[in-house]
Amino acid sequence: MRAQLIELVAATLGRAPSPEELTNWLADLEGGTELPTIAEEIMYELGGVGRIAGVNNTAILVNAYQNLFGRLPDNTGLNYWLNEMNAGRVDLGNLIPSLLAGARAETGNSNDALVINGRLLAATQYLDGLDGDDSYSPSAAAAAVSAITRGSVADSAEEPSDLYNPDAGQPDPAEPAAPTVQAVTGDDFINEDEATAGFAVSGTGEPGATIEITKNGQPFGVVTVDENGNWTTAIAPGFITNADEGVDIPFELLQKDASGNEIGTESTTITIDLTDPAAPAVALNTDTAAADGTTSNPQMDVTNLEAGATWEYSVDGGNNWTAGAGSSFNLATETTYNAGDIQVRQTDEAGNLSTVGQSGGAITYDATAPALNGAVVVNDGGDGLNNGETIVFTFDEAITSFGVVGGSITHGGGVLSAGDTVLTFTSDGGMTTGNITLTGVVDVAGNTANFDETIA
């Protein structure tokens, strides 16, 4: 055990231990203390490769390689030991002994073994040559070890290739992945249903690492990243209450490896919204011709929409719903909708669903202009229009008005049977033949048509 302790100090601190240190550590070993415990003490308390806050495992290994072997790690070796540390198989207590054993293994680098063997021999010879404990000098003990340089013992033909280059910002593929957190409930909003049912917070991280979660700066829970790099923790039903309405709750994640070393942080914020949005309103954009619910304009306008909300509409009383866009939608041509058929509802950013808004009365979308229903009847006795003789236009639907009577005949005006399908033109007595033109014939929906008739 004496040789192991001398080598451990020479490799970690770059000097031979003092006789007093050696005596105390040997006594500790005989008393049951394990070598990794002493190794960790040397690293932390005596200024070795000890970890300081914020230094990651890569920095520890780079420092260790330089202290032990006088070189930067090769990427293969660095990645191997990083994996061992991140998985918890190697910690700060057994790191240096593990690296020393690895250098002497059959798969190790022969020049690394020459360096540590040479420094062990130099430290041992220095201690054996002391004339009592008082003759120990830390500087002389360090000089004896530092005299064994890599250049003085290494065979250049056996030097490793592909050395890690931290100064060039060379990426390390084995560096632990920083933790991530997925959007909570998909949108980082908690709505009333999610608060009632409970939900999960999930993310990714380094396999085997632990994620310490704090909520508003207070400890919330600890979860372990599984072998596939995923983690999740449940938020119990009722954890979010009405008192949290409108509050933004920050969650912070601290990822630690199996040895408790920090290997990354992440944070997220969820917004609590437990209030349903108001019902939207829906109405005809234009009730053409008259305010009677019959229109030639199919556009239905949707109002009272909450910012950021999505909305949908139904034209069959809520049995089927269609996603809306903008702030309007169109009705189907030549269709009559009963009161309550046309409905709208909205879902806010958090996922809360409003009550239904609906149109008041029945609505008919009529997009077809009036047409003649059969022949035009000319009551002129075959000799042109005399005073009081008529032309009768019969349409396929009710007519509400007409605009101008014109053409090549003399006329005095027409008589409209309001709200019916018949429009009668009565002559003013001019015995004239030719064409009569009827323009601006309007139906109940406001659709307009023009007609032309020849008078013999």
Side-chain angles (χ1 to χ4, degrees):
M1 298 302 294
R2 179 176 184 269
Q4 284 182 285
L5 287 169
I6 294 173
E7 179 176 69
L8 184 61
V9 175
T12 307
L13 304 179
R15 64 173 173 83
S18 70
E20 181 181 2
E21 290 172 329
L22 199 55
T23 299
N24 291 336
W25 285 328
L26 284 170
D28 289 342
L29 289 172
E30 291 175 358
T33 302
E34 296 183 350
L35 185 63
T37 301
I38 296 174
E40 190 166 358
E41 175 188 335
I42 293 171
M43 293 179 70
Y44 274 111
E45 297 183 11
L46 299 183
V49 193
R51 180 187 183 121
I52 62 174
V55 176
N56 60 25
N57 287 342
T58 297
I60 292 175
L61 284 165
V62 169
N63 197 1
Y65 264 80
Q66 291 173 319
N67 281 4
L68 271 60
F69 309 130
R71 69 172 176 92
L72 286 167
D74 54 285
N75 284 311
T76 300
L78 177 64
N79 292 337
Y80 171 79
W81 290 112
L82 275 173
N83 286 330
E84 292 296 290
M85 294 181 74
N86 294 337
R89 292 184 288 269
V90 172
D91 57 26
L92 294 181
N94 59 21
L95 174 62
I96 300 304
S98 297
L99 289 171
L100 294 172
R104 291 194 176 97
E106 185 176 344
T107 56
N109 179 262
S110 60
N111 286 338
D112 292 345
L114 288 173
V115 172
I116 60 176
N117 288 338
R119 290 177 176 174
L120 170 61
L121 179 61
T124 302
Q125 288 176 340
Y126 170 78
L127 288 172
D128 291 345
L130 293 177
D131 183 15
D133 292 352
D134 294 340
S135 62
Y136 175 82
S137 166
S139 60
V145 172
S146 62
I148 308 301
T149 65
R150 191 173 187 88
S152 67
V153 297
D155 179 355
S156 60
E158 299 297 324
E159 287 289 75
S161 60
D162 188 27
L163 294 183
Y164 176 69
N165 185 359
D167 293 333
Q170 181 175 339
D172 172 25
E175 185 67 14
T180 68
V181 58
Q182 298 168 356
V184 179
T185 65
D187 55 12
D188 282 336
F189 281 91
I190 302 302
N191 60 39
E192 184 178 15
D193 290 342
E194 292 160 345
T196 301
F199 53 94
V201 180
S202 303
T204 64
E206 186 70 15
T210 57
I211 305 290
E212 297 179 0
I213 306 173
T214 57
K215 169 183 170 284
N216 279 331
Q218 300 299 316
F220 177 77
V222 178
V223 63
T224 300
V225 182
D226 67 24
E227 62 183 6
N228 297 316
N230 300 311
W231 62 269
T232 187
T233 187
I235 308 298
F239 178 81
I240 302 297
T241 68
N242 289 333
D244 297 313
E245 170 69 27
V247 174
D248 291 341
I249 298 180
F251 283 86
E252 295 185 353
L253 284 63
L254 171 62
Q255 179 174 254
K256 294 184 177 182
D257 64 19
S259 300
N261 302 311
E262 180 183 328
I263 53 175
T265 60
E266 184 57 274
S267 63
T268 190
T269 298
I270 61 174
T271 298
I272 311 303
D273 181 354
L274 309 181
T275 303
D276 293 340
V282 59
L284 281 169
N285 176 269
T286 306
D287 194 351
T288 54
D292 56 4
T294 300
T295 182
S296 59
N297 182 347
Q299 181 173 319
M300 299 293 296
D301 290 337
V302 182
T303 56
N304 200 30
L305 293 173
E306 184 174 301
T310 59
W311 62 277
E312 53 191 347
Y313 65 92
S314 172
V315 292
D316 59 3
N319 293 316
N320 296 282
W321 292 90
T322 301
S327 59
S328 65
F329 63 95
N330 288 339
L331 301 175
T333 305
E334 308 302 327
T335 303
T336 296
Y337 303 89
N338 296 321
D341 280 354
I342 301 174
Q343 300 182 3
V344 289
R345 63 188 183 187
Q346 64 178 325
T347 302
D348 65 18
E349 283 187 289
N352 299 299
L353 180 63
S354 75
T355 54
V356 169
Q358 60 186 26
S359 60
I363 293 176
T364 298
Y365 170 32
D366 176 4
T368 305
L372 290 171
N373 187 15
V376 175
V377 178
V378 180
N379 301 306
D380 65 351
D383 57 357
L385 290 176
N386 294 302
N387 186 29
E389 293 181 338
T390 63
I391 304 174
V392 179
F393 299 86
T394 303
F395 299 97
D396 61 352
E397 59 180 316
I399 301 303
T400 61
S401 63
F402 71 96
V404 178
V405 177
S408 60
I409 64 173
T410 303
H411 59 84
V415 177
L416 173 66
S417 301
D420 204 345
T421 60
V422 176
L423 178 63
T424 302
F425 173 75
T426 303
S427 172
D428 61 1
M431 299 289 291
T432 307
T433 61
N435 294 328
I436 183 169
T437 302
L438 188 64
T439 62
V441 178
V442 182
D443 67 10
V444 175
N447 300 296
T448 302
N450 302 319
F451 300 95
D452 185 81
E453 185 67 25
T454 301
I455 308 300

